[in-house]
Amino acid sequence: MIGKLQCLVLDCPDPAALARFYAAVLGGEVDRPDRRWSLGASWSTLHLDDGTVFCFQAVTDHRPPRWPGSEHPQQAHLDIDVADLDAAEPAVLALGAVRLHDAGGWRVYADPAGHPFCLVRG
C-alpha cells in the first residue's frame, strides 16, 4: 500500500449546496474545521461519521456528466446502500436529485450538480 484515501472531490458549480445535499442523504457534518483544507466559496466539505470525507470544489463553467452517454462522461459515481428504495427515492428527489434510470434493484439519479449516484438495496 502506498497511501490511503484522504477524500473524494467532486467538481460542481456551488460547493456548499452540494455538500448540504449529500449531508441530507448520508448524514455527517458540513464544513467542519479541518487543518487540511481552507473552506470558502470555492471549497466545501462533508465529514461522515465513519471518517469518510467528501470535498466539493467550485469549477467555472461546470459541465455535468451525462448518464449513460459518453459525450460528457460520468467519470465516477457513488453507490449508496438503502434499506428501502421506494422510501429513499422521494427523499432524494425532494433534495434536488433527478431520477435517470430504474433497474429494479438499483436506481440511478443525478445530484443537483449533475453527478450520477445510485441508490442500491443494502
Side-chain angles (χ1 to χ4, degrees):
M1 179 175 84
I2 295 172
K4 66 180 189 172
L5 181 67
Q6 182 184 78
C7 65
L8 173 69
V9 181
L10 294 176
D11 291 349
C12 60
D14 185 342
L18 199 56
R20 288 190 302 272
F21 170 84
Y22 279 106
V25 173
L26 300 171
E29 184 179 353
V30 173
D31 290 341
R32 180 170 72 194
D34 189 311
R35 63 175 174 72
R36 297 174 287 185
W37 305 291
S38 297
L39 302 170
S42 64
W43 187 265
S44 197
T45 62
L46 174 62
H47 288 74
L48 301 182
D49 294 340
D50 68 1
T52 303
V53 180
F54 288 94
C55 297
F56 307 92
Q57 174 177 268
V59 174
T60 304
D61 195 28
H62 177 257
R63 294 184 311 154
R66 294 188 186 145
W67 187 91
S70 61
E71 181 181 328
H72 297 233
Q74 66 175 326
Q75 300 169 8
H77 72 273
L78 305 173
D79 284 348
I80 300 169
D81 285 338
V82 296
D84 183 337
L85 287 170
D86 293 328
E89 179 169 4
V92 298
L93 294 175
L95 294 168
V98 175
R99 186 175 179 177
L100 300 176
H101 180 73
D102 182 352
W106 51 273
R107 296 181 188 163
V108 182
Y109 302 84
D111 69 23
H115 303 104
F117 69 95
C118 299
L119 296 182
V120 182
R121 283 191 189 115

